[in-house]
Amino acid sequence: HPTAPGRLLQWIGDRSYSLFLLHSIVVYLLGAALGPILKPLDPALATLLFVPPALLLSLLASDLSYRVAERPYFRKRQRDAR
């Protein structure tokens, strides 16, 4: 029975490839959207306001990619190997 931190790390690990591929796109798009709002702020404050939504959106995008593309691909590959 895995512990909660273990389950969280497993969840992130399962989605790590999608996270690797998508985080830069999320950061770019979010930066383009929030840049005009955050630019006049102190850099430390702007970072504190930017990082949490960037992390959350990156995790959501990677989860969607994992569920829609990666997991079905690996299941099909497993079935075809039988």
Side-chain angles (χ1 to χ4, degrees), residues 15-82:
R15 289 145 184 86
S16 62
Y17 184 67
S18 291
L19 186 60
F20 166 72
L21 292 176
L22 297 172
H23 81 278
S24 59
I25 297 168
V26 170
V27 167
Y28 175 80
L29 293 174
L30 190 61
L34 296 180
I37 297 165
L38 298 177
K39 196 164 195 147
L41 300 177
D42 174 71
L45 177 60
T47 299
L48 286 173
L49 293 173
F50 182 81
V51 170
L55 180 59
L56 178 63
L57 291 172
S58 294
L59 289 171
L60 289 172
S62 66
D63 184 56
L64 180 64
S65 173
Y66 174 76
R67 290 172 188 259
V68 170
E70 285 185 67
R71 193 167 54 183
Y73 169 78
F74 287 122
R75 283 185 180 162
K76 181 183 181 333
R77 207 168 133 205
Q78 214 172 28
R79 278 194 310 267
D80 291 348
R82 290 182 197 165

